[in-house]
Amino acid sequence: MLYFVGLGLFDEKDISLKGLEVIKQADEVYVEFYTSRLMGSDQEKMEALYGRELNVLSREEVEQDPWWLERAKEKDVVFLTGGDTMVSTTHVDLRLRAQRLGIQTQLIHGSSIVSAVCGLSGLQNYRFGKAATVPHPYTSSRGNTIISESPYNAIVQNIEQDLHTLVFLDIDKDKGYMTVPEAVNLLLTVDNRRDCVLADRIGVGIARAGSPVPVVKADFLPRLKDYDFGEPLQILVIPGSLHFLESEALVEFADAPDEVLEIDD
C-alpha cells in the first residue's frame, strides 16, 4: 500500500491522528519539501513527534525518477506532503503512476491553504475561479528580464466572470520564497503595460496560515505592495465583486479600508 498523507499548514502538530497512525505503522516514510513545507517545523521536530526517520526526496525523485514507488509493491510506504495531499498536480501524477504499477493507494487528507484562505479572510469558497501562480522573473538568452503574463491573464479572466482568484507564490530553491509585495509588484508591472484593471482593485495577502498569529491584510493593490507580511509562506487573493458579508469580513478580519463597504455587489 502507498499512503499519501497531508501534513497540514504550519507545523508538525497539524497532522491528523489517522495520518500519524499510518506513519508509525509504515515500513518506510518519504517526504518532499519543495511544493510546500511546514514553516513552523523542521525535519528533526517532525521525526521526534512521528517517531520515524523521514527520507527526504528531491524534486527529481518525485517528478522524474520516483524509484521509491516500487518499494510500495512489497511494503507499506508513506509519502508526506505539506497541506492536503492531492492539491498539487505532481502528487496526482504520482498516484496515477502507482496505480499503473498495480500499487494500491490511500489518501489521508490534511488541512489546505485553499480552505484556510476562506476561513481567514471571510471570502466565500464558491466564488473562486481558476487559481494562478506567480513565478519569479527570469533572464532570457538576450539578457532581458521576463515577467510571466499567465497569472495576470487568469486574474483578468476571473474578474470578467466576477470570480475571486487564489494566487499562489513561487517557491524557488535559488530565489527563495516569493512574498505578497513581490507578487503584487509583478502583477502591477504587467497591468501597466496591458489593461490597467488592477490599480483600483482590492487584494488580500495572507502569511503563515495555520500558525498562532497569521497575518491577513486587505487593501488596494498599489498599497498592498508596500505592506510587510513578515516571514513565509504567503499567498494572495484578488477578489471579484464582494458580497456585503465578504466586505464586512475583510474590514473586520483583514483590516481592509472602509471603502470596500461601498464596492460590494
Side-chain angles (χ1 to χ4, degrees):
M1 179 73 77
L2 173 60
Y3 296 90
F4 290 88
V5 179
L7 292 171
L9 291 171
F10 185 69
D11 63 26
E12 72 278 4
K13 296 178 183 178
D14 281 348
I15 192 168
S16 67
L17 289 175
K18 187 183 292 184
L20 186 58
E21 243 179 31
V22 165
I23 290 173
K24 289 183 177 295
Q25 295 172 5
D27 296 308
E28 297 177 0
V29 184
Y30 296 88
V31 62
E32 63 91 351
F33 290 130
Y34 76 89
T35 57
S36 181
R37 65 184 309 136
L38 305 181
M39 300 307 294
S41 189
D42 55 33
Q43 184 177 348
E44 184 178 352
K45 290 178 181 178
M46 293 167 68
E47 289 179 337
L49 178 62
Y50 306 158
R52 297 299 305 273
E53 177 185 358
L54 304 182
N55 300 289
V56 181
L57 299 169
S58 67
R59 183 167 192 161
E60 290 71 23
E61 290 176 306
V62 174
E63 294 186 348
Q64 298 172 22
D65 181 28
W67 54 267
W68 49 275
L69 283 179
E70 295 281 349
R71 311 282 287 176
K73 287 184 174 180
E74 305 293 336
K75 297 183 176 184
D76 285 337
V77 173
V78 171
F79 176 67
L80 304 175
T81 63
D84 187 30
T85 182
M86 284 293 141
V87 170
S88 171
T89 54
T90 296
H91 306 147
V92 177
D93 178 64
L94 280 174
R95 191 182 181 203
L96 285 170
R97 290 185 187 220
Q99 187 88 358
R100 290 163 186 160
L101 289 171
I103 298 168
Q104 289 187 322
T105 62
Q106 183 173 328
L107 308 184
I108 299 177
H109 297 283
S111 53
S112 169
I113 189 62
V114 175
S115 57
V117 160
C118 299
L120 289 168
S121 66
L123 295 174
Q124 297 166 355
N125 65 345
Y126 67 89
R127 298 285 312 281
F128 281 78
K130 178 182 177 182
T133 300
V134 177
H136 286 281
Y138 66 94
T139 303
S140 70
S141 57
R142 297 183 178 181
N144 299 320
T145 299
I146 306 299
I147 300 174
S148 173
E149 297 193 3
S150 294
Y152 178 84
N153 293 336
I155 293 166
V156 170
Q157 184 178 27
N158 282 339
I159 289 173
E160 291 172 347
Q161 298 179 47
D162 197 21
L163 298 171
H164 306 331
T165 307
L166 183 62
V167 184
F168 293 94
L169 310 186
D170 198 10
I171 299 175
D172 186 275
K173 65 178 181 179
D174 298 317
K175 298 176 182 178
Y177 301 93
M178 182 178 289
T179 66
V180 168
E182 288 172 337
V184 171
N185 189 57
L186 291 170
L187 291 171
L188 290 178
T189 298
V190 176
D191 191 52
N192 286 337
R193 66 189 186 211
R194 289 278 301 276
D195 305 317
C196 296
V197 298
L198 298 184
D200 59 351
R201 297 202 72 86
I202 288 285
V204 186
I206 296 174
R208 298 173 299 287
S211 74
V213 283
V215 172
V216 186
K217 175 61 179 175
D219 208 336
F220 292 97
L221 287 170
R223 296 204 293 248
L224 202 65
K225 71 182 178 67
D226 297 319
Y227 189 83
D228 182 6
F229 285 87
E231 297 298 312
L233 295 171
Q234 302 181 17
I235 197 163
L236 172 68
V237 181
I238 299 180
S241 65
L242 296 169
H243 184 272
F244 72 91
L245 285 178
E246 293 178 307
S247 298
E248 292 175 4
L250 289 181
V251 171
E252 295 293 334
F253 303 148
D255 193 30
D258 288 339
E259 291 98 306
V260 301
L261 298 173
E262 303 168 6
I263 58 175
D264 54 34
D265 60 13

